Structure formats: C-alpha cells, structure tokens
C-alpha cells in the first residue's frame, strides 16, 4: 500500500509543479510594471511612477506648479492611468493626494497635451 501511494505521489508531483509555475507566471504578468512611454513606467503594485530613472509616489502631498514639475498631468474624464481623490488628511493610500504649497512629495504641472500621466478626479475608489 505504501508503494502504491508513493508511486501515485511521484506521478502527480510534476503536474503540481507545473501548475504552480503557471500560477507564478500569471501572477508576475499582472503585477509587472507597465511602460507608458519610452522613459515612463507605472508600478501599480507599489503605486509609483518612474520617469527618467527617478521614482515618485502616486499619493501624498502634491504641489501644482507652472514650471519645473516632476510630472506633467492631464486631467481626463475617461481612460485615465490613475483615479485621484483630493483629501484634507491621511493621503497614505494609492490615489489619495493633499494639495499643498509647502514640502510636497511631488510637483505636478497640469497640461492639456503631451502629459506624462492621465488622471481622473473621483470622489470614491481612488487608485488604479
């Protein structure tokens, strides 16, 4: 009886290893950073954007500037890269931002074309 169970186990082992490999591959495909343009990559798992090798959080304190911005943002109504909610405090989750004038985590310039990232303003369910 022990030999029979051992042989069944040996026969099923390659199948279970294959299933785990396929699952791991599918998991990595979903959580892989998404390249928008040549030098801009969005990592949805960590809620960050990388531009020219520098990584910025897509939450926290944001300052709106006219020049010398870290990112250029276009506000759209549909087909956005991220949904953003403006809050007064606790901007510690993906898509939640506090607009401030001092000590920002990120400086953005609002543009109508040639944006680095497209943003949709929402009241509920910010993030990706």
């Amino acid at each position: 009886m022990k030999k029979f169970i051992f042989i069944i186990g040996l026969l099923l082992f390659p199948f279970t290893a294959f299933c785990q490999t396929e699952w791991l591959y599918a998991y990595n495909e979903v959580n892989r950073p998404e390249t928008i343009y040549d030098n801009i990559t969005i990592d949805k798992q960590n809620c960050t954007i990388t531009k020219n090798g520098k990584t910025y959080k897509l939450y926290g304190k944001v300052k709106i500037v006219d020049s010398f911005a870290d990112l250029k943002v276009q506000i759209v109504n549909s087909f956005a890269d991220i949904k953003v909610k403006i809050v007064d405090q606790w901007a510690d989750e993906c898509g939640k931002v506090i607009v401030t004038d001092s000590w920002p985590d990120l400086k953005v310039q609002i543009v109508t074309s040639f944006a680095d990232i497209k943003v949709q303003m929402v009241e509920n369910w910010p993030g990706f």
Side-chain angles (χ1 to χ4, degrees):
M1 184 68 179
K2 289 182 181 180
K3 283 185 178 180
F4 179 73
I5 293 173
F6 181 73
I7 292 172
I8 296 294
L10 285 177
L11 291 174
L12 292 178
F13 178 73
F15 177 72
T16 58
F18 174 75
C19 290
Q20 290 174 354
T21 304
E22 288 297 314
W23 176 83
L24 184 61
Y25 177 73
Y27 177 78
N28 287 336
E29 284 293 317
V30 170
N31 294 313
R32 180 179 296 167
E34 176 183 336
T35 302
I36 300 176
Y37 301 109
D38 292 335
N39 58 351
I40 299 172
T41 304
I42 293 180
D43 186 357
K44 293 182 179 181
Q45 184 176 8
N46 297 322
C47 196
T48 59
I49 185 168
T50 303
K51 179 182 176 184
N52 297 329
K54 188 162 181 183
T55 303
Y56 304 100
K57 298 183 302 182
L58 292 174
Y59 57 92
K61 294 181 180 180
V62 173
K63 182 177 182 178
I64 300 172
V65 295
D66 293 329
S67 58
F68 303 110
D70 297 325
L71 292 175
K72 293 181 181 177
V73 173
Q74 180 180 3
I75 298 175
V76 296
N77 292 326
S78 58
F79 303 110
D81 296 319
I82 186 170
K83 296 176 183 173
V84 172
K85 179 180 181 180
I86 297 175
V87 294
D88 295 329
Q89 56 187 358
W90 308 109
D92 55 354
E93 295 177 7
C94 188
K96 291 185 178 180
V97 297
I98 299 172
V99 178
T100 183
D101 288 330
S102 59
W103 303 104
D105 298 326
L106 178 65
K107 293 182 284 182
V108 300
Q109 179 181 2
I110 298 176
V111 296
T112 56
S113 59
F114 303 110
D116 297 327
I117 188 169
K118 294 179 182 176
V119 170
Q120 180 180 358
M121 305 304 284
V122 295
E123 289 296 320
N124 298 317
W125 301 293
F128 292 104

